[in-house]
Amino acid sequence: MARDITFREQPVSIRDWITSEYYLGSEAKALRPYWRDKIIEYFEGDHHEFIFSGSSRAGKTYAVCILILRYIYETYCPVNFPTLFNLSPTTLPKIVFFSFTKDKASSAGIDRLIRMVDSIPWFKHPSRRRRPVTSTLSFSWIEVLSGSNVNHAIGEDAFMGILDEANVRNVGKSQAVGEAQGLLMEINMRSLTTFSY
C-alpha cells in the first residue's frame, strides 16, 4: 500500500549522504571504500539484514556505526516515522547494539556513536541535537541502546538490532552460534512485528 509521506527534510541518496562531510563530518573521508560500497549496495537493494565479516580490526564495527547513523538520519526525515507503520505518534523507535556485555556494547557502540554524532555538522542543528546523556544515544525521534541479551530489548519499540561479533567470543563455538542465532531471531521478530505494515 502506497503511503503519502510528509517530510521535514527530503532525504538525500545514500551515495550523496555517505560522501558528504555535512552528513558524516570527517567520517566521510575515513570510511574505507570497501565498506562504503557495501553500505551503498545494502541501502540501494531490498535487504533486511547486513552481515559484516572479516578479520579483527577490519573496520566492521566502525562500518556498523555508519550504517546506524544513516538509519538515524532516515528516521528523522519523515515528519513522524512511527506513523508510517500505523503506530502511535509518540512511539520512540529503538536501535539496540548488542555485544557480549552491556559495557562492551556501550564502549564499542554507544560511546563511539556519540563521539561521531558530536562531530557531524548535520547533527548540530537545534532540532537534531542529541539529548545530553551518555548511557544511550538519544534523540527526540529515535534512541540507540546497548544490550547483551534479548531482555535488554523487551518492552522497547525495537526498530533494529546490531549483533556485534564480540557477542560470540567468550563461549564455545556451538554455544556461541546458538546464542547468536537465538538473539538474531528475537531481534528480527521484535522489529518485524512492530515496524511492518
Side-chain angles (χ1 to χ4, degrees), residues 33-43 50 52:
Y34 174 82
W35 291 118
R36 183 194 62 226
D37 294 345
K38 291 298 178 186
I39 291 170
I40 289 170
E41 180 183 320
Y42 170 79
F43 279 102
F50 198 133
F52 290 6

Side-chain angles (χ1 to χ4, degrees), residues 12 14-32 36 39-40 62-63 65-71 73 113 115-123:
V12 299
I14 183 63
R15 288 179 185 271
D16 292 339
W17 181 88
I18 207 164
T19 58
S20 168
E21 290 189 35
Y22 175 65
Y23 293 107
L24 272 185
S26 59
E27 309 302 339
K29 290 183 179 176
L31 183 63
R32 294 178 184 164
R36 183 194 62 226
I39 291 170
I40 289 170
Y62 177 71
C65 288
I66 301 294
L67 188 85
I68 291 171
L69 291 174
R70 176 62 185 195
Y71 274 114
Y73 167 76
L113 282 163
R115 289 191 309 272
M116 293 167 91
V117 163
D118 288 349
S119 71
I120 294 173
W122 185 82
F123 286 104

Side-chain angles (χ1 to χ4, degrees), residues 38-197:
K38 291 298 178 186
I39 291 170
I40 289 170
E41 180 183 320
Y42 170 79
F43 279 102
E44 288 183 344
D46 187 28
H47 306 288
H48 302 287
E49 293 179 359
F50 198 133
I51 300 172
F52 290 6
S53 64
S55 63
S56 181
R57 305 298 307 152
K60 298 179 298 294
T61 302
Y62 177 71
V64 164
C65 288
I66 301 294
L67 188 85
I68 291 171
L69 291 174
R70 176 62 185 195
Y71 274 114
I72 292 169
Y73 167 76
E74 285 190 356
T75 56
Y76 172 82
C77 290
V79 167
N80 195 309
F81 179 77
T83 61
L84 300 178
F85 301 92
N86 296 321
L87 297 171
S88 163
T90 59
T91 299
L92 186 61
K94 308 288 194 305
I95 296 172
V96 186
F97 194 105
F98 293 99
S99 193
F100 67 94
T101 68
K102 202 166 188 285
D103 286 343
K104 181 63 177 169
S106 290
S107 66
I110 305 302
D111 296 349
R112 182 174 214 162
L113 282 163
I114 287 173
R115 289 191 309 272
M116 293 167 91
V117 163
D118 288 349
S119 71
I120 294 173
W122 185 82
F123 286 104
K124 295 185 190 275
H125 187 277
S127 69
R128 298 187 289 257
R129 286 198 183 119
R130 70 176 180 87
R131 294 177 176 141
V133 294
T134 57
S135 57
T136 63
L137 177 56
S138 182
F139 300 94
S140 62
W141 71 94
I142 194 166
E143 288 185 331
V144 185
L145 313 173
S146 59
S148 60
N149 61 61
V150 75
N151 292 335
H152 294 128
I154 290 176
E156 303 291 353
D157 292 310
F159 168 63
M160 150 185 185
I162 304 299
L163 176 57
D164 189 65
E165 67 175 329
N167 196 56
V168 299
R169 289 206 171 163
N170 288 348
V171 292
K173 189 172 183 179
S174 62
Q175 179 186 355
V177 170
E179 288 179 10
Q181 287 174 330
L183 185 53
L184 182 60
M185 186 172 65
E186 286 289 333
I187 293 167
N188 282 336
M189 181 187 70
R190 290 176 185 284
S191 64
L192 288 174
T193 55
T194 305
F195 292 95
S196 63
Y197 58 86

